[in-house]
Amino acid sequence: MSLPRVRIVLVRPHYAGNLGSVARVMRNFGLSDLVLVAPYASTDDLEARRLATHGLPILDSARVVPELGDAVADCVFTLATSALTAGVIRRGMIGPPAEMMPQLLGAAGRGPVAIVFGPEPHGLSNEEIGRCHGMIHIPVDPGYPALNLAQAVTVCCYELRRAWSAAVNAERKEPPAGPPVATHAEQERMFEHLREGLAAVGFLFGDRQESLMHAVRQLIGRALPTPQEVKMLHGLARQLLWVAKQGKGEPPPTTDS
């Protein structure tokens, strides 16, 4: 159960002050892996550096990537964050930080994990939330639910540290590691393949396509599939595509990856 495996991902952050404040908060709670996705703000901005204080090494080592998939490609488990809970995409595995952090830490024993925060003006899109395994919702007054980005990161890091401390105190020895989990990139390729197969046999249809596929993603994602299980699901997708094309006289697919 390793805090260094927990990554903070900021998607399209607009304000330099938030970059510095987030770096400082990460330093407070023992985190160091910061990734910025297509940021509008710069880590070299004087306001970012002024607010980072002892978090400057984290700010300076932050990685910048063009797209969310690049930020979490090697992760085995990811949690999005949002102030909004309405809508199909937001009805999956969702809970407050105190409930979701133990799951994140459990997965961290098997590989890198990430908490994903959206841009200040409007948060993550439904598509970005749907690409994560679950979602964190911080319970606040519904009259004004939008927290400042750095404040939201602080709440999540605090609950993460609390969960980690409780686990360390309860278990003085490292629990046995589970089987390896397929990376986010491997799972994304499998989900796209599976989407093609399910659409070909008519399981995904009409206005319910996205909600059905989201339910499939949530079901599989909660299981933390291994690379071998992902390979098996690729096989299922190939078989579904073959079944859909049987009328065209095509031979059955091979079982090789």
Side-chain angles (χ1 to χ4, degrees):
M1 194 174 296
S2 178
L3 284 178
R5 285 184 171 179
V6 180
R7 180 175 305 160
I8 299 297
V9 177
L10 307 183
V11 178
R12 300 183 299 281
H14 282 58
Y15 305 119
N18 280 331
L19 299 186
S21 296
V22 167
R24 177 174 180 169
V25 165
M26 290 176 64
R27 178 69 179 84
N28 288 146
F29 292 103
L31 305 179
S32 59
D33 190 359
L34 175 62
V35 178
L36 310 177
V37 178
Y40 291 98
S42 170
T43 56
D44 294 326
D45 189 286
L46 290 178
E47 184 70 358
R49 306 191 72 76
R50 183 179 72 82
L51 291 176
T53 58
H54 292 291
L56 271 175
I58 295 171
L59 194 66
D60 288 336
S61 63
R63 291 181 290 125
V64 176
V65 297
E67 201 269 329
L68 176 58
D70 299 316
V72 297
D74 61 334
C75 291
V76 300
F77 191 72
T78 56
L79 290 175
T81 57
S82 178
L84 304 176
T85 56
V88 172
I89 300 300
R90 293 173 164 87
R91 288 189 204 136
M93 184 167 53
I94 177 174
E99 291 181 8
M100 303 303 288
M101 292 311 172
Q103 298 183 54
L104 187 80
L105 285 172
R110 301 161 74 177
V113 297
I115 309 173
V116 182
F117 298 84
E120 295 93 328
H122 49 71
L124 296 169
S125 68
N126 277 346
E127 189 272 338
E128 288 165 336
I129 291 173
R131 292 169 68 180
C132 296
H133 295 95
M135 192 183 90
I136 296 170
H137 172 70
I138 299 173
V140 293
D141 191 300
Y144 188 50
L147 288 171
N148 166 269
L149 172 60
Q151 292 172 339
V153 174
T154 300
V155 172
C156 289
C157 287
Y158 167 72
E159 292 292 355
L160 175 69
R161 184 78 188 192
R162 261 195 1 130
W164 177 81
S165 297
V168 168
N169 290 335
E171 301 175 9
R172 293 300 180 181
K173 62 180 182 179
E174 190 74 18
V181 180
T183 66
H184 188 275
E186 291 169 336
Q187 292 184 46
E188 282 297 302
R189 287 192 291 271
M190 174 270 295
F191 283 130
E192 284 306 310
H193 198 184
L194 199 55
R195 178 191 287 271
E196 293 177 23
L198 292 171
V201 297
F203 181 77
L204 302 179
F205 62 92
D207 295 338
R208 300 192 61 205
Q209 289 188 51
E210 291 306 316
S211 61
L212 286 170
M213 191 61 207
H214 180 67
V216 170
R217 290 179 65 109
Q218 290 282 303
L219 175 66
I220 296 173
R222 279 197 298 270
L224 299 176
T226 66
Q228 187 60 36
E229 288 167 339
V230 164
K231 182 178 178 182
M232 179 188 69
L233 289 167
H234 274 296
L236 172 62
R238 285 194 297 272
Q239 195 68 27
L240 290 171
L241 289 167
W242 174 73
V243 168
K245 296 175 181 177
Q246 262 191 323
K248 299 179 181 179
E250 295 192 12
T254 66
T255 56
D256 297 332
S257 59

Short mmCIF file of all heavy atoms in Angstrom, two decimals, residues 169-193:
data_model
loop_
_atom_site.label_atom_id
_atom_site.label_comp_id
_atom_site.label_asym_id
_atom_site.label_seq_id
_atom_site.Cartn_x
_atom_site.Cartn_y
_atom_site.Cartn_z
N ASN A 169 -1.66 1.30 10.44
CA ASN A 169 -1.79 1.00 11.87
C ASN A 169 -2.46 -0.35 12.11
O ASN A 169 -2.14 -1.04 13.07
CB ASN A 169 -2.60 2.11 12.56
CG ASN A 169 -1.82 3.41 12.64
OD1 ASN A 169 -0.60 3.41 12.63
ND2 ASN A 169 -2.54 4.52 12.72
N ALA A 170 -3.39 -0.71 11.22
CA ALA A 170 -4.11 -1.97 11.39
C ALA A 170 -3.29 -3.17 10.93
O ALA A 170 -3.44 -4.27 11.45
CB ALA A 170 -5.43 -1.93 10.63
N GLU A 171 -2.43 -2.94 9.95
CA GLU A 171 -1.64 -4.04 9.39
C GLU A 171 -0.17 -3.67 9.46
O GLU A 171 0.31 -2.90 8.63
CB GLU A 171 -2.05 -4.32 7.95
CG GLU A 171 -3.52 -4.69 7.80
CD GLU A 171 -3.92 -4.84 6.35
OE1 GLU A 171 -3.02 -4.82 5.48
OE2 GLU A 171 -5.12 -4.97 6.08
N ARG A 172 0.52 -4.22 10.41
CA ARG A 172 1.93 -3.88 10.58
C ARG A 172 2.81 -4.53 9.53
O ARG A 172 3.96 -4.12 9.35
CB ARG A 172 2.40 -4.32 11.98
CG ARG A 172 1.75 -3.52 13.09
CD ARG A 172 2.06 -2.05 12.96
NE ARG A 172 1.44 -1.26 14.03
CZ ARG A 172 1.54 0.05 14.12
NH1 ARG A 172 2.22 0.71 13.21
NH2 ARG A 172 0.96 0.69 15.11
N LYS A 173 2.32 -5.51 8.84
CA LYS A 173 3.11 -6.11 7.77
C LYS A 173 2.37 -5.92 6.45
O LYS A 173 1.15 -5.83 6.40
CB LYS A 173 3.36 -7.60 8.03
CG LYS A 173 2.12 -8.45 8.10
CD LYS A 173 2.51 -9.88 8.36
CE LYS A 173 1.25 -10.79 8.39
NZ LYS A 173 1.61 -12.18 8.61
N GLU A 174 3.15 -5.87 5.39
CA GLU A 174 2.59 -5.65 4.05
C GLU A 174 1.71 -6.82 3.67
O GLU A 174 2.12 -7.98 3.75
CB GLU A 174 3.73 -5.51 3.03
CG GLU A 174 3.29 -5.06 1.66
CD GLU A 174 2.93 -3.59 1.62
OE1 GLU A 174 3.32 -2.86 2.52
OE2 GLU A 174 2.24 -3.20 0.66
N PRO A 175 0.47 -6.58 3.24
CA PRO A 175 -0.40 -7.67 2.82
C PRO A 175 0.13 -8.31 1.53
O PRO A 175 0.82 -7.65 0.75
CB PRO A 175 -1.75 -6.98 2.57
CG PRO A 175 -1.40 -5.57 2.28
CD PRO A 175 -0.18 -5.27 3.10
N PRO A 176 -0.16 -9.59 1.32
CA PRO A 176 0.31 -10.23 0.10
C PRO A 176 -0.27 -9.54 -1.15
O PRO A 176 -1.43 -9.17 -1.17
CB PRO A 176 -0.21 -11.67 0.22
CG PRO A 176 -1.33 -11.59 1.21
CD PRO A 176 -0.98 -10.49 2.15
N ALA A 177 0.58 -9.37 -2.13
CA ALA A 177 0.15 -8.71 -3.36
C ALA A 177 -0.76 -9.63 -4.16
O ALA A 177 -0.56 -10.85 -4.21
CB ALA A 177 1.37 -8.32 -4.19
N GLY A 178 -1.76 -9.06 -4.78
CA GLY A 178 -2.66 -9.83 -5.65
C GLY A 178 -2.05 -9.99 -7.03
O GLY A 178 -0.92 -9.56 -7.28
N PRO A 179 -2.77 -10.60 -7.94
CA PRO A 179 -2.26 -10.77 -9.30
C PRO A 179 -2.12 -9.42 -9.99
O PRO A 179 -2.78 -8.45 -9.61
CB PRO A 179 -3.34 -11.63 -9.98
CG PRO A 179 -4.58 -11.38 -9.19
CD PRO A 179 -4.13 -11.17 -7.78
N PRO A 180 -1.25 -9.33 -11.01
CA PRO A 180 -1.07 -8.04 -11.71
C PRO A 180 -2.36 -7.61 -12.39
O PRO A 180 -3.14 -8.44 -12.86
CB PRO A 180 0.03 -8.36 -12.74
CG PRO A 180 -0.04 -9.84 -12.94
CD PRO A 180 -0.44 -10.40 -11.61
N VAL A 181 -2.56 -6.30 -12.45
CA VAL A 181 -3.76 -5.74 -13.08
C VAL A 181 -3.37 -5.12 -14.42
O VAL A 181 -2.32 -4.50 -14.53
CB VAL A 181 -4.41 -4.67 -12.17
CG1 VAL A 181 -5.65 -4.08 -12.82
CG2 VAL A 181 -4.75 -5.28 -10.82
N ALA A 182 -4.20 -5.30 -15.42
CA ALA A 182 -3.95 -4.70 -16.73
C ALA A 182 -3.92 -3.18 -16.60
O ALA A 182 -4.68 -2.59 -15.83
CB ALA A 182 -5.03 -5.12 -17.72
N THR A 183 -3.06 -2.54 -17.37
CA THR A 183 -2.95 -1.08 -17.31
C THR A 183 -4.18 -0.43 -17.94
O THR A 183 -4.96 -1.07 -18.65
CB THR A 183 -1.70 -0.59 -18.05
OG1 THR A 183 -1.85 -0.87 -19.44
CG2 THR A 183 -0.44 -1.26 -17.51
N HIS A 184 -4.32 0.87 -17.69
CA HIS A 184 -5.44 1.62 -18.25
C HIS A 184 -5.43 1.55 -19.78
O HIS A 184 -6.47 1.38 -20.42
CB HIS A 184 -5.36 3.08 -17.79
CG HIS A 184 -6.55 3.91 -18.14
ND1 HIS A 184 -6.69 4.52 -19.36
CD2 HIS A 184 -7.68 4.22 -17.43
CE1 HIS A 184 -7.83 5.18 -19.39
NE2 HIS A 184 -8.45 5.02 -18.23
N ALA A 185 -4.25 1.68 -20.38
CA ALA A 185 -4.14 1.63 -21.84
C ALA A 185 -4.58 0.27 -22.37
O ALA A 185 -5.29 0.18 -23.39
CB ALA A 185 -2.71 1.94 -22.28
N GLU A 186 -4.17 -0.81 -21.71
CA GLU A 186 -4.58 -2.15 -22.12
C GLU A 186 -6.09 -2.32 -21.99
O GLU A 186 -6.75 -2.90 -22.87
CB GLU A 186 -3.86 -3.20 -21.28
CG GLU A 186 -2.37 -3.29 -21.56
CD GLU A 186 -1.63 -4.14 -20.53
OE1 GLU A 186 -2.11 -4.30 -19.40
OE2 GLU A 186 -0.54 -4.64 -20.87
N GLN A 187 -6.65 -1.81 -20.90
CA GLN A 187 -8.10 -1.91 -20.71
C GLN A 187 -8.85 -1.08 -21.74
O GLN A 187 -9.90 -1.51 -22.25
CB GLN A 187 -8.48 -1.46 -19.29
CG GLN A 187 -7.98 -2.41 -18.21
CD GLN A 187 -8.46 -2.01 -16.82
OE1 GLN A 187 -9.63 -1.71 -16.64
NE2 GLN A 187 -7.56 -2.02 -15.86
N GLU A 188 -8.33 0.11 -22.08
CA GLU A 188 -9.00 0.96 -23.07
C GLU A 188 -9.06 0.26 -24.43
O GLU A 188 -10.09 0.31 -25.12
CB GLU A 188 -8.28 2.30 -23.20
CG GLU A 188 -8.59 3.26 -22.09
CD GLU A 188 -10.05 3.67 -22.05
OE1 GLU A 188 -10.57 4.19 -23.05
OE2 GLU A 188 -10.70 3.43 -21.01
N ARG A 189 -7.96 -0.39 -24.84
CA ARG A 189 -7.97 -1.12 -26.12
C ARG A 189 -8.99 -2.25 -26.09
O ARG A 189 -9.70 -2.50 -27.07
CB ARG A 189 -6.57 -1.66 -26.42
CG ARG A 189 -5.57 -0.59 -26.82
CD ARG A 189 -4.29 -1.18 -27.37
NE ARG A 189 -3.51 -1.87 -26.35
CZ ARG A 189 -2.59 -1.27 -25.60
NH1 ARG A 189 -2.36 0.03 -25.74
NH2 ARG A 189 -1.91 -1.95 -24.70
N MET A 190 -9.06 -2.94 -24.96
CA MET A 190 -10.04 -4.02 -24.82
C MET A 190 -11.46 -3.49 -24.87
O MET A 190 -12.34 -4.06 -25.53
CB MET A 190 -9.78 -4.77 -23.51
CG MET A 190 -10.82 -5.84 -23.16
SD MET A 190 -12.18 -5.16 -22.16
CE MET A 190 -11.32 -4.71 -20.66
N PHE A 191 -11.74 -2.37 -24.19
CA PHE A 191 -13.09 -1.82 -24.18
C PHE A 191 -13.52 -1.39 -25.58
O PHE A 191 -14.68 -1.58 -25.96
CB PHE A 191 -13.18 -0.63 -23.22
CG PHE A 191 -13.26 -1.03 -21.77
CD1 PHE A 191 -12.41 -0.46 -20.82
CD2 PHE A 191 -14.19 -1.97 -21.34
CE1 PHE A 191 -12.49 -0.82 -19.49
CE2 PHE A 191 -14.27 -2.34 -20.00
CZ PHE A 191 -13.41 -1.76 -19.08
N GLU A 192 -12.61 -0.81 -26.35
CA GLU A 192 -12.96 -0.41 -27.72
C GLU A 192 -13.24 -1.64 -28.58
O GLU A 192 -14.18 -1.64 -29.39
CB GLU A 192 -11.81 0.41 -28.32
CG GLU A 192 -11.76 1.83 -27.81
CD GLU A 192 -13.09 2.56 -27.97
OE1 GLU A 192 -13.65 2.55 -29.07
OE2 GLU A 192 -13.58 3.13 -26.96
N HIS A 193 -12.45 -2.69 -28.40
CA HIS A 193 -12.67 -3.93 -29.14
C HIS A 193 -14.00 -4.56 -28.74
O HIS A 193 -14.79 -5.01 -29.60
CB HIS A 193 -11.51 -4.90 -28.87
CG HIS A 193 -11.41 -6.02 -29.86
ND1 HIS A 193 -10.48 -7.03 -29.74
CD2 HIS A 193 -12.11 -6.30 -30.98
CE1 HIS A 193 -10.62 -7.87 -30.74
NE2 HIS A 193 -11.60 -7.45 -31.51
#
